[in-house]
């Protein structure tokens, strides 16, 4: 009797195949341009079919995995370029200027974003042993890394749950924990560990960042900020710049300009009203700094942005 041979197992898909699979799944669930919420809390899908102008944004702690296209992000004086092979990890709230630089109707930029739950990250850190964060190397609040097969596979399985909503309450939590675990094990994991670890300088600096976000319209008193972080002034300046690529004053200015732009776009405020609402005392200073950041005066920029949004809406 001939011996029965076992079937040869199929090789696991590589990163290229997984990215193509993720692109197909994202396109299935998101057929028009935009950033869309999903049935999984904190999980969003992203798509753009053409390059965009520079736009201000306030990034929250989250993971963004790109599977197609290319995007440029300016954080202070630092420029980060993300393409289909990368993920972007943000561990604190950061005001940035971003721009899609490679996208087309045939090959739109595609990505997924997962909000990071810091209490959950601390729970995982308390249960597993991870390398200690290299604080001296400067754990910046934003980092780009190469997407591994393990990370892409977990993201693909999370996307699959959108077609099986009954499984989301149980499996969604498990897969998100796996994604966090993969991030913590990656070279970029030190950025998360430094923020989440109580007592580390980055953790204290993150407290100052959170306070500044909540009080951006108030006059900045660095002594008060240092007290919140429980640091000396020079230590705060050093670690704040290391974490955010900006000084506290630059961070406040970029945040004010972002909020003012959103208020003009969404609430219909004029430039003067928006400037005063975010804490400016001088309209001329607001106009100068706005033009320097966005390339044109406030109302002209808002008019161009509204026209762009209307054009996008008509094309969908």
């Amino acid at each position: 009797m001939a011996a029965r041979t076992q079937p040869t197992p199929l090789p696991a898909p590589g990163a290229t195949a997984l990215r193509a699979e993720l692109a197909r799944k994202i396109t299935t669930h998101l057929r028009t341009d935009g950033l869309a919420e999903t049935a999984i809390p904190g999980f969003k899908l992203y798509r753009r079919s053409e390059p965009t102008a520079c736009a201000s944004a306030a990034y929250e702690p989250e993971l963004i995995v790109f599977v197609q296209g290319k995007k440029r992000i300016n954080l202070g004086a630092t420029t980060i370029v993300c393409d289909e092979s990368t993920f972007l990890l943000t561990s604190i709230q950061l005001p940035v200027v971003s721009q899609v630089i490679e996208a087309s109707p045939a090959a739109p930029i595609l990505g997924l974003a997962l909000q990071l739950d810091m209490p959950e990250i601390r729970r995982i850190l308390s249960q597993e042993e991870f390398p200690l964060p290299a604080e001296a190397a400067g754990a910046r609040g934003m980092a780009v890394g190469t997407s591994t097969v393990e990370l892409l596979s977990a993201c693909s399985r999370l996307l699959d749950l959108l077609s099986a909503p009954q499984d989301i309450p149980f499996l969604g939590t498990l897969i998100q924990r796996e994604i966090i675990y993969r991030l913590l094990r990656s070279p970029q994991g030190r950025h998360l560990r430094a923020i989440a670890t109580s007592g580390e300088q980055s953790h204290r600096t993150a407290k100052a960042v959170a306070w500044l976000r909540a009080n951006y319209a108030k006059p900045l008193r660095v002594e008060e900020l240092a007290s919140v972080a429980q640091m000396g002034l020079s230590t705060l300046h050093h670690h704040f710049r290391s974490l955010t690529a900006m000084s506290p004053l630059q961070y406040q200015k970029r945040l004010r300009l972002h909020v003012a732009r959103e208020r003009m776009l969404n609430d219909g405020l004029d430039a003067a009203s928006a400037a005063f609402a975010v804490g400016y005392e001088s309209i001329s200073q607001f106009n100068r700094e706005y033009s320097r950041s966005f390339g044109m005066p406030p109302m002209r920029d808002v008019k161009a942005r509204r026209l762009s949004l209307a054009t996008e809406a008509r094309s969908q």
Side-chain angles (χ1 to χ4, degrees):
M1 182 176 180
R4 181 176 297 175
T5 59
Q6 295 293 327
T8 303
L10 294 175
T16 301
L18 282 168
R19 286 196 295 268
E21 182 180 329
L22 277 165
R24 178 183 59 78
K25 291 177 180 178
I26 292 173
T27 302
T28 298
H29 291 285
L30 184 60
R31 298 187 177 278
T32 59
D33 285 359
L35 181 65
E37 301 274 357
T38 71
I40 301 172
F43 185 51
K44 302 175 184 178
L45 304 180
Y46 176 72
R47 171 179 179 153
R48 285 284 176 189
S49 298
E50 61 183 10
T52 65
C54 291
S56 64
Y59 278 21
E60 299 294 327
E62 65 181 355
L63 165 71
I64 303 176
V65 177
F66 296 89
V67 298
Q68 195 168 274
K70 189 176 291 185
K71 191 171 190 177
R72 180 167 53 227
I73 298 160
N74 293 324
L75 173 65
T78 300
T79 298
I80 297 172
V81 177
C82 298
D83 62 21
E84 63 182 14
S85 68
T86 62
F87 67 84
L88 182 71
L89 176 63
T90 307
S91 57
I92 58 170
Q93 301 91 343
L94 290 170
V96 303
V97 175
S98 66
Q99 182 181 20
V100 175
I101 57 176
E102 190 175 293
S104 68
I109 186 171
L110 298 170
L112 53 87
L114 179 64
Q115 182 180 340
L116 297 176
D117 183 357
M118 283 299 167
E120 180 62 27
I121 291 170
R122 293 188 185 100
R123 281 192 288 272
I124 294 174
L125 285 171
S126 70
Q127 296 168 6
E128 299 286 341
E129 289 189 6
F130 295 92
L132 293 175
E135 188 73 26
R140 181 147 289 174
M142 179 175 284
V144 63
T146 300
S147 299
T148 63
V149 167
E150 293 79 11
L151 178 63
L152 293 171
S153 176
C155 291
S156 183
R157 284 183 276 113
L158 190 62
L159 256 173
D160 287 341
L161 293 183
L162 298 181
S163 300
Q166 71 278 5
D167 295 334
I168 290 175
F170 184 78
L171 294 180
T173 300
L174 295 178
I175 297 173
Q176 289 182 60
R177 282 176 61 86
E178 178 186 347
I179 289 172
I180 292 172
Y181 174 85
R182 299 293 180 192
L183 289 176
L184 290 170
R185 284 291 183 193
S186 75
Q188 289 70 37
R190 68 186 182 89
H191 299 268
L192 275 181
R193 296 194 299 272
I195 297 298
T197 306
S198 180
E200 294 291 341
Q201 297 284 25
S202 292
H203 178 77
R204 294 183 182 183
T205 309
K207 289 183 178 181
V209 171
W211 186 92
L212 196 51
R213 280 183 61 85
N215 298 277
Y216 64 85
K218 296 181 180 179
L220 177 58
R221 296 181 177 86
V222 183
E223 296 81 4
E224 186 174 3
L225 202 59
S227 176
V228 169
Q230 297 180 312
M231 293 179 175
L233 291 178
S234 61
T235 303
L236 172 66
H237 271 284
H238 171 74
H239 287 284
F240 198 101
R241 186 176 288 278
S242 176
L243 190 64
T244 68
M246 292 171 268
S247 70
L249 187 61
Q250 289 170 328
Y251 184 100
Q252 182 194 51
K253 181 177 74 173
R254 286 186 178 266
L255 187 57
R256 282 179 168 182
L257 291 173
H258 166 71
V259 174
R261 193 184 199 215
E262 293 299 300
R263 294 291 304 273
M264 287 185 289
L265 277 169
N266 300 325
D267 300 339
L269 296 186
D270 58 35
S273 299
F276 290 133
V278 299
Y280 275 89
E281 297 179 356
S282 167
I283 300 302
S284 59
Q285 180 186 3
F286 172 72
N287 288 335
R288 283 196 306 273
E289 293 182 351
Y290 192 103
S291 298
R292 196 176 301 127
S293 292
F294 301 117
M296 60 182 74
M299 297 316 295
R300 193 192 307 170
D301 171 61
V302 170
K303 184 177 180 180
R305 180 63 180 148
R306 285 177 178 156
L307 181 61
S308 175
L309 291 173
T311 301
E312 287 181 13
R314 285 195 298 270
S315 65
Q316 292 178 6

